[in-house]
Amino acid sequence: MRSWYDYVVGGSGLTGCALASRLKSADPSAQVAIIEAGPDASSNPLTKSPLGAFMLEQSDLDWFYKTEPQKGLHNRTIREINGRVLGGGSILNYGGWSRGDAAGYELWARNFNDERWSYSGLLPYFKRSEHYFDQSNKAAHGYNGPHYVYSVSASDSQRKYPLREAMKRAFFEQGASFAIDDGSTHLGLWEMVENWKDGNRQSCNIAYDLDGVDIITETLVHKVITSAPKTGDSQPRAIGIKLVDGRVISASKDIILSSRTYRSPQLLILSSISLLEDLVAHGIEVVSHLLVGKNLFDHMSVW
């Protein structure tokens, strides 16, 4: 492992693998590293088989978080599946493929006054990521991306589900309709599409080309190292990361935290970047007073 890189990516899930791959392909001379707390489990057949995802839950590849008791759920504690493995959540997830509802992205754009976060602003990146099975809607889908996406019925003619048509009729009788096939809304019925290739789940560390990227597994990041603000700047600059074992890796250009919803805020807080009251409460030095680790609203899932 080198002591410095141009780019250091903390976390090897979908975001981390995509960014590392794009950075390396855009500049082959760039030194790019991915730091991952978990192992490389590519040789484990369960990481590829469709139903293997469910057998990996609560294994050593899962952080196995639990929520605080939820008042709205009769104080139940909910399991949170999070990948602790090269490939992150794409190793543990079944492989369903879906975008967020367009209304959510439009809210982001309004809140930040930045159209790049709108649905139309993000659509080129959605399309770039996918190799969609149905080429009849090129305005909404991409066909040259690394992630192969098929509907259930298009994936294999032998996949028959006896209750499928009966359930569809029942929903139609209640006034439901098909959702528009442009990926912009989840309101209505739509056929499940899956990120599979050749009958296997396609994890992001396999989908994206990581040739030339240093992949450092079983290595836990402790915090981001910052320097004092330069003249004219209001914020300090991230210059490296410190590992749990005390080693330091410097970055000449950027540090990218892609450790999902829980780990990325935790790393920022450990790096003295959070709300003042939270840092003081835990005896952490204040480097930057920012809104971190708040306003998480998780989605419900019913199977």
Side-chain angles (χ1 to χ4, degrees):
M1 182 174 63
R2 300 164 58 102
S3 62
W4 72 270
Y5 293 87
D6 294 309
Y7 301 97
V8 176
V9 181
S12 67
L14 280 162
T15 303
C17 285
L19 285 171
S21 177
R22 300 301 190 195
L23 286 167
K24 189 64 179 180
S25 63
D27 181 5
S29 67
Q31 299 295 326
V32 183
I34 290 176
I35 312 295
E36 168 56 47
D40 180 357
S42 301
S43 61
N44 185 337
L46 294 178
T47 65
K48 300 177 180 63
S49 65
L51 295 180
F54 304 107
M55 299 177 68
L56 293 174
E57 294 179 7
Q58 304 181 48
S59 72
D60 58 353
L61 306 184
D62 182 4
W63 284 105
F64 192 45
Y65 296 127
K66 293 183 179 180
T67 68
E68 293 293 316
Q70 301 295 300
K71 292 181 180 179
L73 298 174
H74 300 288
N75 290 320
R76 289 168 55 204
T77 296
I78 308 301
R79 289 188 295 120
E80 294 283 349
I81 307 303
N82 276 260
R84 188 180 183 275
V85 58
L86 180 64
S90 69
I91 294 289
L92 273 66
N93 292 334
Y94 174 73
W97 187 262
S98 175
R99 300 169 188 169
D101 196 282
Y105 301 114
E106 300 306 324
L107 180 61
W108 286 358
R110 290 196 300 273
N111 286 345
F112 293 102
N113 193 28
D114 189 340
E115 285 301 308
R116 291 177 298 179
W117 289 106
S118 67
Y119 185 77
S120 60
L122 291 171
L123 182 59
Y125 300 98
F126 294 148
K127 293 170 65 176
R128 188 179 179 183
S129 70
E130 64 184 9
H131 189 112
Y132 204 71
F133 75 101
D134 182 358
Q135 299 198 19
S136 65
N137 193 351
K138 295 185 177 182
H141 294 293
Y143 305 99
N144 297 304
H147 289 282
Y148 282 69
V149 181
Y150 295 92
S151 68
V152 170
S153 59
S155 65
D156 189 331
S157 61
Q158 299 302 311
R159 294 180 72 182
K160 303 292 185 181
Y161 298 93
L163 290 177
R164 176 188 174 106
E165 293 304 317
M167 291 294 294
K168 188 162 61 173
R169 287 195 301 271
F171 275 109
F172 286 156
E173 289 173 2
Q174 295 301 313
S177 59
F178 276 117
I180 302 171
D181 182 27
D182 64 359
S184 67
T185 181
H186 294 166
L187 295 177
L189 293 179
W190 51 285
E191 185 176 19
M192 183 176 180
V193 292
E194 302 160 326
N195 176 207
W196 291 9
K197 184 180 181 182
D198 300 327
N200 292 317
R201 291 185 296 120
Q202 192 185 20
S203 60
C204 58
N205 59 303
I206 300 298
Y208 284 98
D209 181 8
L210 296 176
D211 286 347
V213 175
D214 274 10
I215 300 173
I216 304 166
T217 57
E218 299 182 271
T219 303
L220 188 62
V221 176
H222 172 52
K223 66 177 183 177
V224 177
I225 299 172
T226 57
S227 65
K230 293 182 179 180
T231 303
D233 292 342
S234 60
Q235 297 290 344
R237 182 176 181 273
I239 59 171
I241 60 169
K242 184 177 182 180
L243 305 178
V244 167
D245 63 13
R247 289 178 294 170
V248 171
I249 302 176
S250 301
S252 62
K253 294 185 178 179
D254 280 310
I255 303 290
I256 299 164
L257 295 184
S258 56
S259 300
R260 297 193 66 174
T261 305
Y262 301 122
R263 300 290 294 180
S264 290
Q266 181 196 35
L267 285 172
L268 287 172
I269 294 170
L270 290 172
S271 307
S272 303
I273 302 169
S274 185
L275 289 174
L276 178 63
E277 55 267 31
D278 289 346
L279 295 174
V280 171
H282 290 88
I284 300 174
E285 177 189 4
V286 179
V287 167
S288 187
H289 174 58
L290 293 174
L291 181 63
V292 170
K294 302 292 183 180
N295 300 324
L296 169 63
F297 291 86
D298 207 348
H299 66 284
M300 295 296 293
S301 182
V302 180
W303 298 92

